Amino acid sequence: MTDNKHTVEQTKALTEDILEYQSVDVEKAYTQLSRRMHKKQARHIFMHTLSRVAVILLLPLLISSVLFSYLYVKQKEQIEQIAYTQVSSAPGTITRLVLPDKSVAWLNSESTLSYPAVFSEKAREVKLSGEGYFEVESDPEHPFYVNTDDGIKVMAYGTKFNVNAYDDEPYIEAVLEKGKIDFISQDKTVHLDPEKQAVFDRNTREITVSHVSLDGKTGWKDGRLVFRNTPLDIVLKKLSKRYNVDIVLHKNGNKEYSYRATFTTETVEQILNYLKLTTPIEWSVKRLEQNDDDSFARERIEVYLK
């Protein structure tokens, strides 16, 4: 009897296990498993696709960055290598020119002005050798600099002024007609008002400021030679540049003579004769000499002060 009871209990337990296994939805379990696998696969595909999209998006950005960097470098090189214009006034002539900013410059005989085809974004800078008169267009944000070989600078924002920086002169001179300018050396800056001049002595390196006759300093640009208490040696230097001749002064004494006169269309010979009326001088023209290359040297005038 006991054995039968044990057999019935085993049969009942087995039946319950079978029923439990049968209650499992195989198809549903498969579906759930498939979904989990699909999600993992989809996530993997998404990340892979995202990586490819990121590369595709970053590639144009990288190319653009490289391109802009290249263009920037090229532009910088072009700015650094920007073309300069050099204008020279032939001996005995006066040259007028218009600068890139519409400022106007006059160059006296045997003078040269160098300037860029386009001024920089910070300043307008030119380089002068000789003598020049400038009418500078007003631009408070972009100062205008006239540079010389000696390191002297004349700075303006918009004004009219004259700079004399001939290499054969013992000084550099700036004269202000209108507005304001700064006369700048390595050690000092001088502010000038109208009808004032600043003179830099090349030997002592000192700067002096004084009142001046504008007509005597700027009349040359209009074709006039204006002398106001001007010593004879300075008069002869100006005549030499104006008429493209070599004038040599021979002095027998220490007496000085100064002149007050204005000349426009006179020849150099006529002017020397006028000077002779008030000064004990004699002058003569030396015969032109031919150079080895068949050209002729400049006319030479000997002036003798008794």
Side-chain angles (χ1 to χ4, degrees):
M1 184 69 178
T2 302
D3 293 336
N4 291 336
K5 186 177 179 180
H6 179 69
T7 302
V8 171
E9 289 177 356
Q10 288 182 337
T11 303
K12 185 179 178 180
L14 180 60
T15 302
E16 289 177 355
D17 290 340
I18 293 172
L19 290 174
E20 184 179 354
Y21 284 120
Q22 287 178 344
S23 65
V24 177
D25 191 340
V26 177
E27 183 176 356
K28 183 178 180 180
Y30 176 77
T31 301
Q32 291 177 349
L33 180 60
S34 298
R35 286 178 179 175
R36 291 194 189 100
M37 294 179 64
H38 180 70
K39 286 182 179 179
K40 290 184 178 179
Q41 186 178 12
R43 188 180 296 111
H44 177 73
I45 294 174
F46 173 75
M47 294 303 296
H48 180 69
T49 304
L50 182 62
S51 300
R52 295 185 62 185
V53 170
V55 171
I56 293 173
L57 293 176
L58 287 174
L59 186 59
L61 181 61
L62 179 61
I63 294 175
S64 300
S65 300
V66 173
L67 179 60
F68 284 134
S69 299
Y70 173 77
L71 293 176
Y72 172 79
V73 172
K74 292 300 292 182
Q75 184 181 24
K76 186 177 180 181
E77 290 178 353
Q78 289 176 356
I79 292 174
E80 293 174 349
Q81 298 176 358
I82 194 166
Y84 270 74
T85 299
Q86 181 171 290
V87 177
S88 296
S89 189
T93 64
I94 297 171
T95 303
R96 179 184 182 274
L97 59 144
V98 179
L99 300 175
D101 66 335
K102 306 304 179 184
S103 296
V104 183
W106 285 261
L107 297 179
N108 206 347
S109 172
E110 299 181 271
S111 300
T112 299
L113 188 70
S114 300
Y115 58 91
V118 179
F119 285 126
S120 73
E121 296 181 356
K122 295 182 179 180
R124 299 169 287 171
E125 300 208 33
V126 301
K127 186 174 182 180
L128 173 69
S129 176
E131 186 171 20
Y133 178 90
F134 300 88
E135 288 187 358
V136 177
E137 284 289 304
S138 179
D139 187 350
E141 296 182 358
H142 300 88
F144 187 97
Y145 289 94
V146 177
N147 299 282
T148 70
D149 291 332
D150 296 73
I152 296 295
K153 291 186 176 185
V154 179
M155 189 273 286
Y157 289 103
T159 182
K160 298 179 181 181
F161 61 95
N162 191 86
V163 179
N164 186 344
Y166 281 110
D167 292 335
D168 60 351
E169 299 286 358
Y171 59 84
I172 296 175
E173 173 190 273
V175 175
L176 178 61
E177 179 176 333
K178 180 180 179 181
K180 292 182 180 296
I181 60 174
D182 288 344
F183 190 89
I184 306 169
S185 70
Q186 294 179 348
D187 305 320
K188 188 176 182 181
T189 296
V190 174
H191 307 286
L192 286 187
D193 294 321
E195 299 187 26
K196 293 290 185 68
Q197 72 171 0
V199 178
F200 173 77
D201 191 307
R202 282 182 162 129
N203 295 319
T204 65
R205 314 296 291 180
E206 295 293 329
I207 300 175
T208 57
V209 178
S210 61
H211 189 273
V212 71
S213 168
L214 292 178
D215 204 31
K217 295 295 183 177
T218 64
W220 62 266
K221 77 179 181 65
D222 299 316
R224 292 180 292 116
L225 278 174
V226 181
F227 302 118
R228 297 291 182 263
N229 298 319
T230 307
L232 177 59
D233 57 339
I234 301 300
V235 170
L236 297 181
K237 280 186 177 181
K238 290 185 178 294
L239 291 177
S240 177
K241 287 185 172 65
R242 170 69 178 270
Y243 295 98
N244 189 28
V245 295
D246 290 327
I247 302 178
V248 180
L249 176 62
H250 304 275
K251 300 171 67 174
N252 291 329
N254 295 323
K255 189 173 182 180
E256 298 291 340
Y257 294 89
S258 297
Y259 303 88
R260 183 180 180 86
T262 300
F263 302 104
T264 52
T265 59
E266 293 84 355
T267 64
V268 64
E269 290 84 0
Q270 288 174 324
I271 294 175
L272 289 174
N273 284 332
Y274 289 140
L275 298 180
K276 186 177 178 180
L277 295 176
T278 58
T279 310
I281 63 171
E282 296 290 340
W283 61 273
S284 62
V285 178
K286 187 178 180 181
R287 182 177 61 86
L288 291 179
E289 295 182 357
Q290 191 171 11
N291 298 320
D292 295 337
D293 60 357
D294 293 332
S295 64
F296 285 89
R298 290 204 306 180
E299 186 177 69
R300 181 184 177 96
I301 298 176
E302 307 280 351
V303 177
Y304 299 90
L305 177 62
K306 299 177 182 179

mmCIF file of all heavy atoms in Angstrom, residues 242-279:
data_model
loop_
_atom_site.group_PDB
_atom_site.id
_atom_site.type_symbol
_atom_site.label_atom_id
_atom_site.label_comp_id
_atom_site.label_asym_id
_atom_site.label_seq_id
_atom_site.Cartn_x
_atom_site.Cartn_y
_atom_site.Cartn_z
ATOM 1 N N ARG A 242 67.898 124.114 -57.560
ATOM 2 C CA ARG A 242 66.825 124.609 -58.427
ATOM 3 C C ARG A 242 67.226 124.551 -59.896
ATOM 4 O O ARG A 242 66.416 124.158 -60.749
ATOM 5 C CB ARG A 242 66.484 126.045 -58.015
ATOM 6 C CG ARG A 242 65.553 126.782 -58.968
ATOM 7 C CD ARG A 242 64.140 126.223 -58.956
ATOM 8 N NE ARG A 242 63.273 126.981 -59.839
ATOM 9 C CZ ARG A 242 62.563 128.045 -59.445
ATOM 10 N NH1 ARG A 242 62.634 128.471 -58.191
ATOM 11 N NH2 ARG A 242 61.803 128.685 -60.299
ATOM 12 N N TYR A 243 68.455 124.894 -60.208
ATOM 13 C CA TYR A 243 68.860 125.005 -61.615
ATOM 14 C C TYR A 243 69.782 123.868 -62.066
ATOM 15 O O TYR A 243 70.289 123.897 -63.198
ATOM 16 C CB TYR A 243 69.540 126.359 -61.862
ATOM 17 C CG TYR A 243 68.586 127.522 -61.679
ATOM 18 C CD1 TYR A 243 68.560 128.242 -60.490
ATOM 19 C CD2 TYR A 243 67.696 127.863 -62.690
ATOM 20 C CE1 TYR A 243 67.676 129.296 -60.316
ATOM 21 C CE2 TYR A 243 66.800 128.925 -62.524
ATOM 22 C CZ TYR A 243 66.783 129.635 -61.335
ATOM 23 O OH TYR A 243 65.896 130.675 -61.163
ATOM 24 N N ASN A 244 69.994 122.882 -61.192
ATOM 25 C CA ASN A 244 70.792 121.705 -61.547
ATOM 26 C C ASN A 244 72.187 122.082 -62.040
ATOM 27 O O ASN A 244 72.649 121.669 -63.108
ATOM 28 C CB ASN A 244 70.063 120.880 -62.625
ATOM 29 C CG ASN A 244 70.734 119.543 -62.872
ATOM 30 O OD1 ASN A 244 71.371 118.986 -61.968
ATOM 31 N ND2 ASN A 244 70.606 119.015 -64.078
ATOM 32 N N VAL A 245 72.849 122.902 -61.241
ATOM 33 C CA VAL A 245 74.224 123.297 -61.540
ATOM 34 C C VAL A 245 75.046 123.147 -60.263
ATOM 35 O O VAL A 245 74.503 123.140 -59.158
ATOM 36 C CB VAL A 245 74.317 124.756 -62.046
ATOM 37 C CG1 VAL A 245 73.604 124.914 -63.384
ATOM 38 C CG2 VAL A 245 73.755 125.726 -61.008
ATOM 39 N N ASP A 246 76.337 123.002 -60.419
ATOM 40 C CA ASP A 246 77.245 122.987 -59.273
ATOM 41 C C ASP A 246 77.760 124.401 -59.059
ATOM 42 O O ASP A 246 78.373 124.994 -59.962
ATOM 43 C CB ASP A 246 78.428 122.047 -59.528
ATOM 44 C CG ASP A 246 78.001 120.592 -59.533
ATOM 45 O OD1 ASP A 246 77.060 120.235 -58.781
ATOM 46 O OD2 ASP A 246 78.589 119.802 -60.302
ATOM 47 N N ILE A 247 77.489 124.952 -57.877
ATOM 48 C CA ILE A 247 77.958 126.292 -57.547
ATOM 49 C C ILE A 247 78.938 126.189 -56.395
ATOM 50 O O ILE A 247 78.616 125.665 -55.321
ATOM 51 C CB ILE A 247 76.786 127.223 -57.168
ATOM 52 C CG1 ILE A 247 75.785 127.299 -58.332
ATOM 53 C CG2 ILE A 247 77.304 128.614 -56.822
ATOM 54 C CD1 ILE A 247 74.571 128.169 -58.031
ATOM 55 N N VAL A 248 80.138 126.676 -56.605
ATOM 56 C CA VAL A 248 81.202 126.600 -55.599
ATOM 57 C C VAL A 248 81.520 128.008 -55.129
ATOM 58 O O VAL A 248 81.804 128.904 -55.932
ATOM 59 C CB VAL A 248 82.460 125.930 -56.170
ATOM 60 C CG1 VAL A 248 83.548 125.853 -55.108
ATOM 61 C CG2 VAL A 248 82.122 124.545 -56.702
ATOM 62 N N LEU A 249 81.460 128.201 -53.808
ATOM 63 C CA LEU A 249 81.729 129.513 -53.224
ATOM 64 C C LEU A 249 83.165 129.571 -52.702
ATOM 65 O O LEU A 249 83.589 128.707 -51.924
ATOM 66 C CB LEU A 249 80.749 129.785 -52.083
ATOM 67 C CG LEU A 249 80.966 131.084 -51.302
ATOM 68 C CD1 LEU A 249 80.816 132.305 -52.219
ATOM 69 C CD2 LEU A 249 80.008 131.164 -50.114
ATOM 70 N N HIS A 250 83.882 130.586 -53.112
ATOM 71 C CA HIS A 250 85.243 130.841 -52.626
ATOM 72 C C HIS A 250 85.217 132.132 -51.810
ATOM 73 O O HIS A 250 84.854 133.187 -52.327
ATOM 74 C CB HIS A 250 86.220 130.985 -53.799
ATOM 75 C CG HIS A 250 86.234 129.798 -54.720
ATOM 76 N ND1 HIS A 250 86.993 128.672 -54.494
ATOM 77 C CD2 HIS A 250 85.569 129.572 -55.882
ATOM 78 C CE1 HIS A 250 86.803 127.804 -55.467
ATOM 79 N NE2 HIS A 250 85.940 128.324 -56.339
ATOM 80 N N LYS A 251 85.593 132.046 -50.543
ATOM 81 C CA LYS A 251 85.529 133.199 -49.647
ATOM 82 C C LYS A 251 86.933 133.632 -49.246
ATOM 83 O O LYS A 251 87.770 132.812 -48.881
ATOM 84 C CB LYS A 251 84.716 132.854 -48.393
ATOM 85 C CG LYS A 251 83.286 132.457 -48.704
ATOM 86 C CD LYS A 251 82.568 131.920 -47.471
ATOM 87 C CE LYS A 251 82.368 133.002 -46.445
ATOM 88 N NZ LYS A 251 81.539 132.534 -45.301
ATOM 89 N N ASN A 252 87.164 134.945 -49.304
ATOM 90 C CA ASN A 252 88.454 135.496 -48.895
ATOM 91 C C ASN A 252 88.401 136.093 -47.492
ATOM 92 O O ASN A 252 89.437 136.487 -46.954
ATOM 93 C CB ASN A 252 88.916 136.579 -49.883
ATOM 94 C CG ASN A 252 89.287 135.979 -51.235
ATOM 95 O OD1 ASN A 252 89.754 134.830 -51.310
ATOM 96 N ND2 ASN A 252 89.072 136.737 -52.297
ATOM 97 N N GLY A 253 87.253 136.165 -46.916
ATOM 98 C CA GLY A 253 87.127 136.738 -45.572
ATOM 99 C C GLY A 253 86.022 136.038 -44.806
ATOM 100 O O GLY A 253 85.415 135.068 -45.271
ATOM 101 N N ASN A 254 85.773 136.550 -43.588
ATOM 102 C CA ASN A 254 84.758 135.956 -42.724
ATOM 103 C C ASN A 254 83.465 136.757 -42.688
ATOM 104 O O ASN A 254 82.549 136.396 -41.941
ATOM 105 C CB ASN A 254 85.310 135.837 -41.293
ATOM 106 C CG ASN A 254 86.490 134.874 -41.215
ATOM 107 O OD1 ASN A 254 86.510 133.847 -41.907
ATOM 108 N ND2 ASN A 254 87.474 135.212 -40.385
ATOM 109 N N LYS A 255 83.381 137.787 -43.456
ATOM 110 C CA LYS A 255 82.173 138.596 -43.439
ATOM 111 C C LYS A 255 81.013 137.834 -44.060
ATOM 112 O O LYS A 255 81.186 137.177 -45.085
ATOM 113 C CB LYS A 255 82.414 139.901 -44.201
ATOM 114 C CG LYS A 255 81.263 140.891 -44.033
ATOM 115 C CD LYS A 255 81.606 142.239 -44.651
ATOM 116 C CE LYS A 255 80.463 143.225 -44.432
ATOM 117 N NZ LYS A 255 80.765 144.569 -45.016
ATOM 118 N N GLU A 256 79.841 137.912 -43.404
ATOM 119 C CA GLU A 256 78.664 137.198 -43.868
ATOM 120 C C GLU A 256 77.670 138.167 -44.513
ATOM 121 O O GLU A 256 77.509 139.305 -44.065
ATOM 122 C CB GLU A 256 77.980 136.467 -42.703
ATOM 123 C CG GLU A 256 78.837 135.407 -42.033
ATOM 124 C CD GLU A 256 79.078 134.210 -42.938
ATOM 125 O OE1 GLU A 256 78.299 134.010 -43.900
ATOM 126 O OE2 GLU A 256 80.053 133.463 -42.689
ATOM 127 N N TYR A 257 76.998 137.679 -45.546
ATOM 128 C CA TYR A 257 75.972 138.460 -46.231
ATOM 129 C C TYR A 257 74.674 137.657 -46.269
ATOM 130 O O TYR A 257 74.694 136.444 -46.523
ATOM 131 C CB TYR A 257 76.420 138.799 -47.657
ATOM 132 C CG TYR A 257 77.606 139.729 -47.720
ATOM 133 C CD1 TYR A 257 78.911 139.219 -47.725
ATOM 134 C CD2 TYR A 257 77.424 141.099 -47.793
ATOM 135 C CE1 TYR A 257 80.007 140.061 -47.780
ATOM 136 C CE2 TYR A 257 78.523 141.960 -47.850
ATOM 137 C CZ TYR A 257 79.799 141.427 -47.846
ATOM 138 O OH TYR A 257 80.900 142.269 -47.895
ATOM 139 N N SER A 258 73.567 138.353 -46.018
ATOM 140 C CA SER A 258 72.250 137.724 -46.055
ATOM 141 C C SER A 258 71.372 138.458 -47.054
ATOM 142 O O SER A 258 71.590 139.653 -47.349
ATOM 143 C CB SER A 258 71.599 137.750 -44.658
ATOM 144 O OG SER A 258 72.360 136.995 -43.748
ATOM 145 N N TYR A 259 70.323 137.749 -47.537
ATOM 146 C CA TYR A 259 69.514 138.295 -48.613
ATOM 147 C C TYR A 259 68.022 138.142 -48.324
ATOM 148 O O TYR A 259 67.596 137.181 -47.682
ATOM 149 C CB TYR A 259 69.847 137.600 -49.932
ATOM 150 C CG TYR A 259 71.315 137.708 -50.294
ATOM 151 C CD1 TYR A 259 72.230 136.761 -49.827
ATOM 152 C CD2 TYR A 259 71.781 138.758 -51.062
ATOM 153 C CE1 TYR A 259 73.571 136.871 -50.134
ATOM 154 C CE2 TYR A 259 73.128 138.872 -51.375
ATOM 155 C CZ TYR A 259 74.011 137.929 -50.902
ATOM 156 O OH TYR A 259 75.349 138.046 -51.197
ATOM 157 N N ARG A 260 67.295 139.131 -48.833
ATOM 158 C CA ARG A 260 65.847 139.087 -48.764
ATOM 159 C C ARG A 260 65.325 139.380 -50.174
ATOM 160 O O ARG A 260 65.367 140.513 -50.642
ATOM 161 C CB ARG A 260 65.304 140.117 -47.779
ATOM 162 C CG ARG A 260 63.786 140.062 -47.608
ATOM 163 C CD ARG A 260 63.305 141.114 -46.620
ATOM 164 N NE ARG A 260 61.863 141.063 -46.467
ATOM 165 C CZ ARG A 260 61.236 140.271 -45.617
ATOM 166 N NH1 ARG A 260 61.937 139.455 -44.833
ATOM 167 N NH2 ARG A 260 59.919 140.288 -45.536
ATOM 168 N N ALA A 261 64.850 138.308 -50.831
ATOM 169 C CA ALA A 261 64.409 138.466 -52.227
ATOM 170 C C ALA A 261 63.522 137.294 -52.611
ATOM 171 O O ALA A 261 63.507 136.247 -51.955
ATOM 172 C CB ALA A 261 65.611 138.536 -53.168
ATOM 173 N N THR A 262 62.774 137.482 -53.708
ATOM 174 C CA THR A 262 61.917 136.420 -54.248
ATOM 175 C C THR A 262 62.148 136.336 -55.744
ATOM 176 O O THR A 262 62.098 137.351 -56.449
ATOM 177 C CB THR A 262 60.425 136.697 -53.978
ATOM 178 O OG1 THR A 262 60.211 136.774 -52.571
ATOM 179 C CG2 THR A 262 59.547 135.586 -54.557
ATOM 180 N N PHE A 263 62.396 135.103 -56.234
ATOM 181 C CA PHE A 263 62.625 134.883 -57.660
ATOM 182 C C PHE A 263 61.639 133.832 -58.176
ATOM 183 O O PHE A 263 61.279 132.892 -57.455
ATOM 184 C CB PHE A 263 64.066 134.415 -57.892
ATOM 185 C CG PHE A 263 65.106 135.370 -57.393
ATOM 186 C CD1 PHE A 263 65.797 135.118 -56.214
ATOM 187 C CD2 PHE A 263 65.400 136.529 -58.107
ATOM 188 C CE1 PHE A 263 66.764 135.989 -55.752
ATOM 189 C CE2 PHE A 263 66.375 137.421 -57.646
ATOM 190 C CZ PHE A 263 67.055 137.148 -56.466
ATOM 191 N N THR A 264 61.235 134.004 -59.412
ATOM 192 C CA THR A 264 60.275 133.056 -60.005
ATOM 193 C C THR A 264 60.789 132.506 -61.334
ATOM 194 O O THR A 264 61.151 131.339 -61.428
ATOM 195 C CB THR A 264 58.913 133.733 -60.212
ATOM 196 O OG1 THR A 264 59.104 134.969 -60.957
ATOM 197 C CG2 THR A 264 58.250 134.051 -58.876
ATOM 198 N N THR A 265 60.843 133.360 -62.357
ATOM 199 C CA THR A 265 61.199 132.874 -63.696
ATOM 200 C C THR A 265 62.620 133.255 -64.112
ATOM 201 O O THR A 265 63.027 132.973 -65.245
ATOM 202 C CB THR A 265 60.210 133.444 -64.733
ATOM 203 O OG1 THR A 265 60.256 134.876 -64.702
ATOM 204 C CG2 THR A 265 58.794 132.968 -64.432
ATOM 205 N N GLU A 266 63.375 133.873 -63.233
ATOM 206 C CA GLU A 266 64.723 134.314 -63.589
ATOM 207 C C GLU A 266 65.670 133.127 -63.813
ATOM 208 O O GLU A 266 65.479 132.052 -63.233
ATOM 209 C CB GLU A 266 65.303 135.218 -62.479
ATOM 210 C CG GLU A 266 64.601 136.544 -62.318
ATOM 211 C CD GLU A 266 63.369 136.457 -61.447
ATOM 212 O OE1 GLU A 266 63.006 135.312 -61.045
ATOM 213 O OE2 GLU A 266 62.767 137.496 -61.154
ATOM 214 N N THR A 267 66.667 133.313 -64.633
ATOM 215 C CA THR A 267 67.709 132.302 -64.824
ATOM 216 C C THR A 267 68.719 132.427 -63.689
ATOM 217 O O THR A 267 68.763 133.440 -62.965
ATOM 218 C CB THR A 267 68.426 132.487 -66.165
ATOM 219 O OG1 THR A 267 69.125 133.746 -66.162
ATOM 220 C CG2 THR A 267 67.429 132.469 -67.325
ATOM 221 N N VAL A 268 69.561 131.407 -63.531
ATOM 222 C CA VAL A 268 70.557 131.445 -62.473
ATOM 223 C C VAL A 268 71.545 132.574 -62.713
ATOM 224 O O VAL A 268 72.031 133.221 -61.753
ATOM 225 C CB VAL A 268 71.276 130.088 -62.355
ATOM 226 C CG1 VAL A 268 72.065 129.765 -63.619
ATOM 227 C CG2 VAL A 268 72.175 130.062 -61.118
ATOM 228 N N GLU A 269 71.855 132.849 -63.980
ATOM 229 C CA GLU A 269 72.771 133.939 -64.285
ATOM 230 C C GLU A 269 72.171 135.287 -63.888
ATOM 231 O O GLU A 269 72.879 136.160 -63.339
ATOM 232 C CB GLU A 269 73.116 133.945 -65.772
ATOM 233 C CG GLU A 269 73.982 132.787 -66.226
ATOM 234 C CD GLU A 269 73.167 131.538 -66.543
ATOM 235 O OE1 GLU A 269 71.915 131.584 -66.409
ATOM 236 O OE2 GLU A 269 73.780 130.505 -66.903
ATOM 237 N N GLN A 270 70.886 135.460 -64.145
ATOM 238 C CA GLN A 270 70.229 136.711 -63.772
ATOM 239 C C GLN A 270 70.230 136.896 -62.248
ATOM 240 O O GLN A 270 70.480 137.999 -61.752
ATOM 241 C CB GLN A 270 68.794 136.729 -64.296
ATOM 242 C CG GLN A 270 68.686 136.908 -65.798
ATOM 243 C CD GLN A 270 67.246 136.786 -66.296
ATOM 244 O OE1 GLN A 270 66.476 135.982 -65.772
ATOM 245 N NE2 GLN A 270 66.916 137.589 -67.302
ATOM 246 N N ILE A 271 69.986 135.819 -61.522
ATOM 247 C CA ILE A 271 69.960 135.916 -60.061
ATOM 248 C C ILE A 271 71.345 136.255 -59.524
ATOM 249 O O ILE A 271 71.486 137.101 -58.610
ATOM 250 C CB ILE A 271 69.440 134.599 -59.454
ATOM 251 C CG1 ILE A 271 67.973 134.396 -59.825
ATOM 252 C CG2 ILE A 271 69.612 134.603 -57.934
ATOM 253 C CD1 ILE A 271 67.391 133.068 -59.371
ATOM 254 N N LEU A 272 72.374 135.633 -60.060
ATOM 255 C CA LEU A 272 73.734 135.936 -59.612
ATOM 256 C C LEU A 272 74.086 137.395 -59.892
ATOM 257 O O LEU A 272 74.787 138.042 -59.088
ATOM 258 C CB LEU A 272 74.731 135.006 -60.291
ATOM 259 C CG LEU A 272 74.692 133.548 -59.832
ATOM 260 C CD1 LEU A 272 75.629 132.692 -60.683
ATOM 261 C CD2 LEU A 272 75.060 133.432 -58.350
ATOM 262 N N ASN A 273 73.612 137.922 -60.988
ATOM 263 C CA ASN A 273 73.868 139.340 -61.288
ATOM 264 C C ASN A 273 73.128 140.243 -60.306
ATOM 265 O O ASN A 273 73.647 141.299 -59.908
ATOM 266 C CB ASN A 273 73.456 139.667 -62.723
ATOM 267 C CG ASN A 273 74.462 139.141 -63.741
ATOM 268 O OD1 ASN A 273 75.660 139.009 -63.443
ATOM 269 N ND2 ASN A 273 73.982 138.830 -64.941
ATOM 270 N N TYR A 274 71.907 139.839 -59.893
ATOM 271 C CA TYR A 274 71.181 140.615 -58.877
ATOM 272 C C TYR A 274 71.950 140.601 -57.556
ATOM 273 O O TYR A 274 72.072 141.633 -56.881
ATOM 274 C CB TYR A 274 69.784 140.052 -58.663
ATOM 275 C CG TYR A 274 68.837 140.297 -59.815
ATOM 276 C CD1 TYR A 274 67.955 139.309 -60.225
ATOM 277 C CD2 TYR A 274 68.819 141.526 -60.474
ATOM 278 C CE1 TYR A 274 67.081 139.529 -61.285
ATOM 279 C CE2 TYR A 274 67.956 141.750 -61.535
ATOM 280 C CZ TYR A 274 67.083 140.747 -61.941
ATOM 281 O OH TYR A 274 66.225 140.979 -62.991
ATOM 282 N N LEU A 275 72.484 139.445 -57.188
ATOM 283 C CA LEU A 275 73.248 139.350 -55.946
ATOM 284 C C LEU A 275 74.507 140.212 -56.024
ATOM 285 O O LEU A 275 74.945 140.792 -55.015
ATOM 286 C CB LEU A 275 73.633 137.891 -55.674
ATOM 287 C CG LEU A 275 72.489 136.899 -55.469
ATOM 288 C CD1 LEU A 275 73.045 135.504 -55.212
ATOM 289 C CD2 LEU A 275 71.579 137.327 -54.330
ATOM 290 N N LYS A 276 75.064 140.278 -57.180
ATOM 291 C CA LYS A 276 76.298 141.039 -57.387
ATOM 292 C C LYS A 276 76.086 142.531 -57.141
ATOM 293 O O LYS A 276 77.032 143.258 -56.783
ATOM 294 C CB LYS A 276 76.807 140.795 -58.806
ATOM 295 C CG LYS A 276 78.155 141.418 -59.125
ATOM 296 C CD LYS A 276 78.572 141.035 -60.540
ATOM 297 C CE LYS A 276 79.904 141.706 -60.882
ATOM 298 N NZ LYS A 276 80.352 141.350 -62.259
ATOM 299 N N LEU A 277 74.846 142.983 -57.309
ATOM 300 C CA LEU A 277 74.551 144.406 -57.114
ATOM 301 C C LEU A 277 74.700 144.826 -55.659
ATOM 302 O O LEU A 277 74.969 145.998 -55.359
ATOM 303 C CB LEU A 277 73.137 144.725 -57.601
ATOM 304 C CG LEU A 277 72.875 144.555 -59.102
ATOM 305 C CD1 LEU A 277 71.408 144.819 -59.419
ATOM 306 C CD2 LEU A 277 73.771 145.503 -59.906
ATOM 307 N N THR A 278 74.481 143.884 -54.730
ATOM 308 C CA THR A 278 74.529 144.217 -53.304
ATOM 309 C C THR A 278 75.657 143.523 -52.553
ATOM 310 O O THR A 278 75.832 143.756 -51.354
ATOM 311 C CB THR A 278 73.190 143.832 -52.631
ATOM 312 O OG1 THR A 278 72.956 142.439 -52.826
ATOM 313 C CG2 THR A 278 72.045 144.641 -53.228
ATOM 314 N N THR A 279 76.389 142.682 -53.226
ATOM 315 C CA THR A 279 77.443 141.903 -52.569
ATOM 316 C C THR A 279 78.703 141.919 -53.439
ATOM 317 O O THR A 279 78.607 141.784 -54.669
ATOM 318 C CB THR A 279 76.992 140.442 -52.371
ATOM 319 O OG1 THR A 279 75.713 140.418 -51.764
ATOM 320 C CG2 THR A 279 77.980 139.696 -51.499
#
